[in-house]
Amino acid sequence: MKIGIVGLPNVGKSTLFRALTKKQIDVSNYPFTTIEPNVGIVAVPDERLQKLAEISHSAKITPAIIEFVDIAGLVKGAAEGEGLGNKFLSHIKETDAIAEVIRVFEDKDIIHVHNKVDPAEDAEVIHLELILKDLEIIKKRLVSVTSDVRAQKKEAVAEKENLEKMKITLEEGKLLGEVFPPADEDANNIARQLGLLTMKPIIFVCNASEAMVQNGWMPDDALKTIVGNRSFVVLSAKIEDELNSLEDAERKEFLQSMGLKRSGLDTLITTAYETLGLITFLTTGETETRAWTIPRNSTAPRAGRAIHSDFEEKFIRAEVITYEKLIEAGSYAVARERGWLRTEGKGYVVQDGDVVEFKI
């Protein structure tokens, strides 16, 4: 799971990424992960893990993770190669979603690239560059698909129709994700194959001042129109950076003094997780208590794949209990005595917070 952090220069993007990398976890449990300088691997906050580990006397705890990729600051004209241009846009291609950092704070010492703080305008600049890049990709693809249609390749006809609809959408200045829903499998398959940027889910990260965060700042009407029904998080990158230099007790005290229940980064991480349509199931034992990431509505065999492909291919059944019931029981032995452990088959849809033991 990769979230690309994008934004104009001087919006606090680098400060936000620095705060995230301070939260970076030990990745030794994830053997296929290569850490690059611009990638932060962070844990998805989940208080359930500690409580399960206490019940099972687990030797270690392994949380679910998300990758945040710091992508070079976007400038007007990126689609034509301005600034880092195509390199910037190619980095976004590799991500699953976009965290779009928008500056909403005023600070005369930090010059805005457009000499004024206008969150709605900043968002429009970013979206225009993404639209222009997608248009370029689609036009190139249409040339080759049109040749395939002339050669009477059946599948090319449907693809050409979809590409033309997408082209019209982009030329109207709309993001593809606003028009083509997740249920449109054909459009989404094309988007994945071509790495289309405007089909990716967007989380708006409004970088505010400390006072704005404390006062519950919300987007104005102009920015609300652009955000639409997408997720947004209000935080102060500066505060988040400072928070991560504190010990746990100090962090809690600091957050309480500001009237906040949790840090903005924790909210961003969980929002990103939810935006990608992911849930967590749990496994627990003496060796390890662990959170596993799966797409929402996964069946038990598909959930098992998160652990190992054999768990999907050789699935027999799963023993399942909800996290709440296991905590209430206090142990597997008591839960079994009370009949709270359920045996589920291949058709069972795993729920967030299920504690699962697979039989293969």
Side-chain angles (χ1 to χ4, degrees):
M1 298 172 293
K2 280 190 179 179
I3 308 292
I5 302 175
V6 305
L8 299 177
N10 292 345
V11 298
K13 187 171 63 66
S14 296
T15 306
L16 177 65
F17 183 73
R18 185 168 65 241
L20 281 163
T21 53
K22 282 183 182 178
K23 290 176 72 73
Q24 186 156 304
I25 63 170
D26 178 3
V27 294
S28 59
N29 293 325
Y30 305 93
F32 305 109
T33 302
T34 300
I35 305 301
E36 297 176 8
N38 68 330
V39 177
I41 307 290
V42 296
V44 177
D46 195 333
E47 294 177 355
R48 298 173 296 192
L49 293 172
Q50 184 61 47
K51 292 179 181 177
L52 282 179
E54 288 168 5
I55 284 177
S56 301
H57 307 290
S58 303
K60 66 176 180 177
I61 295 174
T62 306
I65 59 167
I66 257 185
E67 284 187 35
F68 283 91
V69 184
D70 184 27
I71 296 169
L74 182 64
V75 296
K76 207 178 271 189
E80 281 77 48
E82 290 293 327
L84 291 178
N86 290 326
K87 186 178 179 184
F88 162 88
L89 293 163
S90 67
H91 285 164
I92 305 181
K93 267 189 179 185
E94 298 168 6
T95 64
D96 301 302
I98 296 170
E100 188 173 316
V101 182
I102 305 293
R103 175 176 167 177
V104 300
F105 68 88
E106 296 277 358
D107 189 330
K108 62 183 180 182
D109 295 325
I110 303 176
I111 299 169
H112 191 284
V113 69
H114 297 148
N115 296 314
K116 63 176 179 177
V117 175
D118 187 335
E121 183 181 318
D122 289 359
E124 286 174 349
V125 168
I126 292 170
H127 294 175
L128 177 59
E129 295 306 320
L130 301 182
I131 286 168
L132 291 172
K133 190 62 184 177
D134 276 359
L135 261 176
E136 178 191 321
I137 293 167
I138 284 174
K139 285 176 180 177
K140 282 182 182 175
R141 180 62 184 160
L142 271 170
V143 172
S144 58
V145 169
T146 301
S147 299
D148 290 341
V149 170
R150 290 198 197 100
Q152 297 184 330
K153 292 184 180 179
K154 193 180 292 184
E155 66 278 4
V157 175
E159 184 180 353
K160 184 171 183 286
E161 286 178 3
N162 274 300
L163 286 168
E164 285 173 342
K165 287 177 188 174
M166 288 176 162
K167 180 172 172 285
I168 290 168
T169 298
L170 294 167
E171 287 172 341
E172 290 174 348
K174 298 174 185 173
L175 302 178
L176 295 176
E178 295 174 339
V179 176
F180 296 89
D184 190 332
E185 290 185 12
D186 290 339
N188 279 279
N189 284 336
I190 290 171
R192 275 191 294 273
Q193 289 165 10
L194 299 181
L196 297 178
L197 310 175
T198 63
M199 192 70 101
K200 295 181 186 294
I202 294 175
I203 304 161
F204 290 87
V205 183
C206 301
N207 188 14
S209 67
E210 181 175 335
M212 294 167 81
V213 170
Q214 282 185 291
N215 294 329
W217 180 91
M218 292 290 283
D220 61 17
D221 290 342
L223 186 55
K224 274 183 185 173
T225 301
I226 293 170
V227 171
N229 60 2
R230 287 182 288 250
S231 300
F232 74 90
V233 175
V234 180
L235 53 74
S236 166
K238 188 177 177 182
I239 291 174
E240 299 301 325
D241 201 23
E242 291 171 1
L243 269 174
N244 282 328
S245 65
L246 303 175
E247 297 296 329
D248 284 349
E250 293 174 318
R251 289 178 82 250
K252 286 178 183 175
E253 190 178 325
F254 184 76
L255 286 169
Q256 285 174 356
S257 71
M258 296 184 65
L260 302 174
K261 292 181 179 178
R262 66 194 312 205
S263 75
L265 283 186
D266 282 353
T267 302
L268 172 57
I269 293 164
T270 52
T271 300
Y273 199 73
E274 291 161 5
T275 297
L276 290 172
L278 303 171
I279 64 167
T280 298
F281 76 87
L282 309 159
T283 56
T284 188
E286 287 187 5
T287 303
E288 178 185 45
T289 289
R290 183 163 181 161
W292 301 90
T293 300
I294 56 171
R296 193 177 299 280
N297 299 321
S298 292
T299 59
R302 169 63 185 84
R305 190 203 306 172
I307 300 173
H308 194 283
S309 58
D310 281 356
F311 281 58
E312 181 174 27
E313 295 164 12
K314 300 176 182 179
F315 178 89
I316 298 173
R317 64 184 183 275
E319 196 170 61
V320 182
I321 184 170
T322 64
Y323 162 80
E324 291 81 8
K325 281 293 185 184
L326 184 51
I327 294 299
E328 185 181 339
S331 71
Y332 261 107
V334 173
R336 190 170 276 109
E337 285 173 11
R338 295 179 180 177
W340 290 351
L341 289 169
R342 311 186 313 272
T343 298
E344 301 287 1
K346 291 182 178 180
Y348 176 68
V349 176
V350 175
Q351 303 299 306
D352 186 78
D354 276 351
V355 184
V356 186
E357 184 177 339
F358 292 90
K359 308 293 183 182
I360 65 170

